[in-house]
Amino acid sequence: MKSKTVYFCAGWFTDKQNKAYEKAMEAIKNNPTVDVDNSYVPLQHQYKGLRVDEHPELLEDREWSTATYNGDRVGVQTSDIILAIYIPEEEDVGMGVELGMAKAFGKYNLIVIPDEDWGKPINLMTYGVGDHFIKLSELENYNFNRPSFNFYEGAVY
Amino acid sequence: MKSKTVYFCAGWFTDKQNKAYEKAMEAIKNNPTVDVDNSYVPLQHQYKGLRVDEHPELLEDREWSTATYNGDRVGVQTSDIILAIYIPEEEDVGMGVELGMAKAFGKYNLIVIPDEDWGKPINLMTYGVGDHFIKLSELENYNFNRPSFNFYEGAVY
Amino acid sequence: MKSKTVYFCAGWFTDKQNKAYEKAMEAIKNNPTVDVDNSYVPLQHQYKGLRVDEHPELLEDREWSTATYNGDRVGVQTSDIILAIYIPEEEDVGMGVELGMAKAFGKYNLIVIPDEDWGKPINLMTYGVGDHFIKLSELENYNFNRPSFNFYEGAVY
Amino acid sequence: MKSKTVYFCAGWFTDKQNKAYEKAMEAIKNNPTVDVDNSYVPLQHQYKGLRVDEHPELLEDREWSTATYNGDRVGVQTSDIILAIYIPEEEDVGMGVELGMAKAFGKYNLIVIPDEDWGKPINLMTYGVGDHFIKLSELENYNFNRPSFNFYEGAVY
Amino acid sequence: MKSKTVYFCAGWFTDKQNKAYEKAMEAIKNNPTVDVDNSYVPLQHQYKGLRVDEHPELLEDREWSTATYNGDRVGVQTSDIILAIYIPEEEDVGMGVELGMAKAFGKYNLIVIPDEDWGKPINLMTYGVGDHFIKLSELENYNFNRPSFNFYEGAVY
Amino acid sequence: MKSKTVYFCAGWFTDKQNKAYEKAMEAIKNNPTVDVDNSYVPLQHQYKGLRVDEHPELLEDREWSTATYNGDRVGVQTSDIILAIYIPEEEDVGMGVELGMAKAFGKYNLIVIPDEDWGKPINLMTYGVGDHFIKLSELENYNFNRPSFNFYEGAVY
């Protein structure tokens, strides 16, 4: 069976983000249409393996910033599908940049929302650049080989 | 003298955003290199003139969402320069989408940060897709006809 | 006053097309927001000034075809706005290619429909890549400096 | 053996179109370099499974139009190759939009022409955005894994 | 009269390059359709005003390289037209990158060749991404407001 | 195991180029993450199988030039990864065009430099559009399924 690579677009800063992150990661590992091994997980591509939350001195290190940004850009460009683990009440500007960039390059943006948050208001621009919206519980069985379009069934502000 | 149109990318939800919004708008009105009349201000392009913050019933109105999103997309595509009034502590996913989209279309992203916030940490992806960073007090005299590149002189997380 | 260049996208094969062509050309000459002199009119850019309808031997001339196609491509890329004079019952594949290409390059597609045809069914893909739809009688006063979005108010098949 | 997905771009309105449609569909099912299962066939992606030719009330339904257009756009973006079943005397504006959009996104446009129509005049813009032209009888053995370029061997108007 | 900005793409390393550089610069200063003041001349945008040929220590300075590259990228993106002063026997990889990038962004590539070198063999890829080819003596009177297409009248290898 | 197709971007004119060409070709044949069979090797796609170095009469043959250029363009667009065998002291404008075009289309540019030339000065624009730089001896074991970013560890002029 074919499988697709994803750019795993998710936050890892709050409890809610971490929980969704773990669940989503497990779901794609169980999904035979995702090639997890060759997917791009930003957290695994911090320049020289250093994370800014653990090494605050990197905050002002231009080489680290430039290389880590470029790593993520490469990830967006070379992955088959952008997989955004999206929490309506904790929207993130960095995820916005990745979705906008992906849209203009003609990539497919799949937005996954935790079941308990499904229907809550999301930003208008995410609504517009998202190609398909599903609940987190649907991720495990979603067929990444057959992209199609739907609207977000929820509020948009 | 030549002048450039801008996509005026700014929030209007918090006090801080409103204050920066007003200051920035005044600055570009005083800047002869900006064609304010023909610039795209999203707040003036809400579909049918209706704002979702004043008409909460629009939250679920798919026609309103689709048209307002497309209006903003058209604004990004047809403006000469993306002007983002960017508040490090109040980053916004919608602005992220606009900056990412603009980047991939080859537009010029100018990031303007209030003087009192200059140097504060900004998101890595904004750092990467920004082409030029200035303080709000510099906006009035910035020459929009001569785009160039610089790095953000501040922290990046 | 500022003015925009247009790629004048229109057929010149049937009576109806010719009539709409003439009317539209006159309208933009009267519209101070259009820079007609520097706009791209495909009929004026046939390679070496030769038209295939008058020189049928060109039908098989690869140099003529390649150069004329590239001329039109250049016209689409370098014009500010794509102006399509669109007749619902005489849709044209070449116009489709130009609109699709323009869309992906981030250009603004303005679709103008003769008043007597307004509301008639148009192709789904034109509906989707059109950014703004107006009647031919509105063309003379349309402000090309202030692009915005609307839906086609008519049938789509 | 590797296989490629295609965006199956073809009309289904006239007898001639239907006949070519069926033949082409059979050819790619016999072609081991095409992944038919995961290819995008617009007719199978009409929003909510409703076809406008069977449900004329959809002609004015903006939600149906918007979603069906976006489905086709997603299909073009996510397929490896655009496969156009092209009938010179029945050219179609929608196919034009798809080919133009695909071209600007850097996709590969394969134009397939029924044997009995090979050589007949095609539109200049199709000639220009087509990357490779073959006869319908060649489709079954065409190697989708090895894209290359050729000119249309026929008339262009 | 309207005027266009150019990205002034030229070498400044050999005598021949310097001579052509000077001539071309003078020609566009005399050409009323070029807005020289707001055009992008890479040599004037070396990061912090430092030139690598005068400061060899910059060869290994990653910040200088990254910023200077990004300056040139911004120049390509924000200029109306790419003006390449092209010497067939001294072709340059950097100019190639700029022309290729410009092509994919939908910019207009104007290739100017010194009169004494007109007709000499040029690289196939330059031939392909060039939109218009003229002699250096024609530059002064070339109308930058009316882009069109032609072939290089010379050898291609 | 998955494998990626490459656009094999390399010169074949000087001894040094030929030597690097052979080594690189052998390396990717031994690399299980490269699908050599379906990769695009420009030398194998000269129009009608004719090489301009063996048939100098082609230098002025517009059909040959146009078709061969378009073949290479198709190769860049349809390959997963651009593989440039890059010799610092023999930089090539055609390779520059291919890298620039690939960059703007969002492709991944892998630059491979012969071990003995590693660290030597390369052009600023190549530095900027390269996504990853490795030595020729590393090519055989490079994992084409896991693209990431690094800087060139050498001089840039």
Side-chain angles (χ1 to χ4, degrees), chain D residues 111-126:
Chain D
I111 315 287
V112 179
I113 294 179
D115 293 53
E116 62 272 25
D117 298 317
W118 184 257
K120 286 185 187 165
I122 62 168
N123 187 288
L124 180 73
M125 298 308 288
T126 303

Side-chain angles (χ1 to χ4, degrees), chain E residues 59-60 62 65-66 68-69 86 91-94 96-98 100-101 104 123-125 127-129 151-152 155-157, chain F residues 59 62 65-66 68-69 86 91-94 96-98 100-101 104 123-125 127-129 151-152 154-157:
Chain E
L59 279 166
E60 307 265 1
R62 202 160 283 171
S65 308
T66 301
T68 304
Y69 159 72
Y86 199 93
E91 292 172 311
D92 175 65
V93 68
V97 171
E98 290 154 355
M101 196 186 279
N123 188 287
L124 180 72
M125 298 307 288
Y127 166 81
V129 297
F151 289 111
Y152 177 49
V156 178
Y157 72 94
Chain F
L59 279 165
R62 202 161 282 172
S65 309
T66 300
T68 304
Y69 159 71
Y86 199 92
E91 294 172 310
D92 175 66
V93 67
V97 171
E98 290 154 355
M101 196 186 279
N123 188 287
L124 180 72
M125 298 307 288
Y127 167 81
V129 297
F151 290 111
Y152 177 50
V156 177
Y157 72 94

Side-chain angles (χ1 to χ4, degrees), chain D residues 6 8 19-36 83 85 112 115 134-142 144:
Chain D
V6 303
F8 191 81
K19 215 175 115 192
Y21 188 108
E22 293 304 329
K23 267 196 188 167
M25 190 54 87
E26 201 175 309
I28 59 173
K29 282 181 183 158
N30 292 332
N31 187 328
T33 64
V34 180
D35 173 0
V36 179
L83 172 62
I85 312 305
V112 179
D115 293 53
I134 60 172
K135 292 180 192 158
L136 185 40
S137 62
E138 298 171 300
L139 181 57
E140 189 169 330
N141 296 309
Y142 181 78
F144 280 76

Side-chain angles (χ1 to χ4, degrees), chain D residues 13 31 37 40 43 54 77 91 94 97 99 102 136 139 146 154:
Chain D
F13 297 105
N31 187 328
D37 275 359
Y40 195 99
L43 192 47
E54 295 170 353
Q77 288 178 357
E91 293 172 311
V97 170
L99 292 170
L136 185 40
L139 181 57
R146 309 211 55 181

Side-chain angles (χ1 to χ4, degrees), chain A residues 62, chain B residues 132 148-153, chain E residues 40 42-52 54-55 57-58 61-69 71:
Chain A
R62 202 160 283 171
Chain B
H132 204 91
S148 65
F149 176 84
N150 72 1
F151 289 111
Y152 177 50
E153 288 170 7
Chain E
Y40 195 100
L43 191 47
Q44 299 166 356
H45 286 268
Q46 310 286 294
Y47 190 52
K48 298 187 173 166
L50 301 173
R51 295 168 55 158
V52 77
E54 296 171 352
H55 293 266
E57 74 279 11
L58 296 175
D61 182 329
R62 202 160 283 171
E63 180 175 334
W64 183 88
S65 308
T66 301
T68 304
Y69 159 72

Side-chain angles (χ1 to χ4, degrees), chain A residues 7-145:
Chain A
Y7 179 83
F8 191 81
C9 186
W12 55 80
F13 297 104
T14 70
D15 273 2
K16 197 157 188 176
Q17 285 173 351
N18 274 321
K19 214 176 114 190
Y21 188 108
E22 294 303 328
K23 268 196 189 168
M25 191 53 88
E26 200 175 310
I28 58 173
K29 282 180 184 159
N30 292 332
N31 186 328
T33 64
V34 180
D35 174 0
V36 179
D37 275 358
N38 296 316
S39 288
Y40 195 100
V41 182
L43 192 46
Q44 300 167 356
H45 286 269
Q46 310 286 294
Y47 190 52
K48 298 187 173 167
L50 300 172
R51 293 167 55 159
V52 78
D53 49 348
E54 296 170 352
H55 293 266
E57 75 278 10
L58 296 175
L59 279 166
E60 308 264 2
D61 181 330
R62 202 160 283 171
E63 179 175 335
W64 183 88
S65 309
T66 301
T68 304
Y69 159 72
N70 275 298
D72 291 357
R73 174 186 60 72
V74 158
V76 170
Q77 289 179 356
T78 60
S79 298
D80 293 324
I81 284 175
I82 309 305
L83 171 62
I85 311 304
Y86 198 92
I87 301 176
E89 284 153 336
E90 303 185 8
E91 293 173 310
D92 174 66
V93 68
M95 198 177 286
V97 171
E98 289 154 356
L99 292 170
M101 197 187 277
K103 172 75 171 184
F105 274 128
K107 294 279 169 185
Y108 182 69
N109 284 331
L110 177 66
I111 316 287
V112 178
I113 293 180
D115 292 52
E116 62 272 24
D117 298 317
W118 184 257
K120 287 187 186 163
I122 62 169
N123 188 287
L124 180 72
M125 298 308 287
T126 303
Y127 167 81
V129 297
D131 289 310
H132 204 91
F133 295 83
I134 61 172
K135 292 179 194 161
L136 185 41
S137 62
E138 297 171 301
L139 181 57
E140 189 169 330
N141 296 309
Y142 182 78
N143 188 344
F144 281 75
N145 292 321

Side-chain angles (χ1 to χ4, degrees), chain F residues 44-108:
Chain F
Q44 298 167 356
H45 285 269
Q46 309 286 294
Y47 190 53
K48 298 187 173 166
L50 300 172
R51 294 168 54 160
V52 77
D53 49 348
E54 295 170 353
H55 293 265
E57 74 278 9
L58 296 175
L59 279 165
E60 307 264 0
D61 182 329
R62 202 161 282 172
E63 180 175 334
W64 184 87
S65 309
T66 300
T68 304
Y69 159 71
N70 275 296
D72 291 357
R73 175 187 58 74
V74 159
V76 169
Q77 288 179 356
T78 60
S79 298
D80 293 324
I81 284 175
I82 309 306
L83 172 62
I85 311 306
Y86 199 92
I87 300 176
E89 284 152 335
E90 303 185 9
E91 294 172 310
D92 175 66
V93 67
M95 197 176 287
V97 171
E98 290 154 355
L99 291 170
M101 196 186 279
K103 172 74 172 186
F105 274 128
K107 294 280 168 184
Y108 182 70

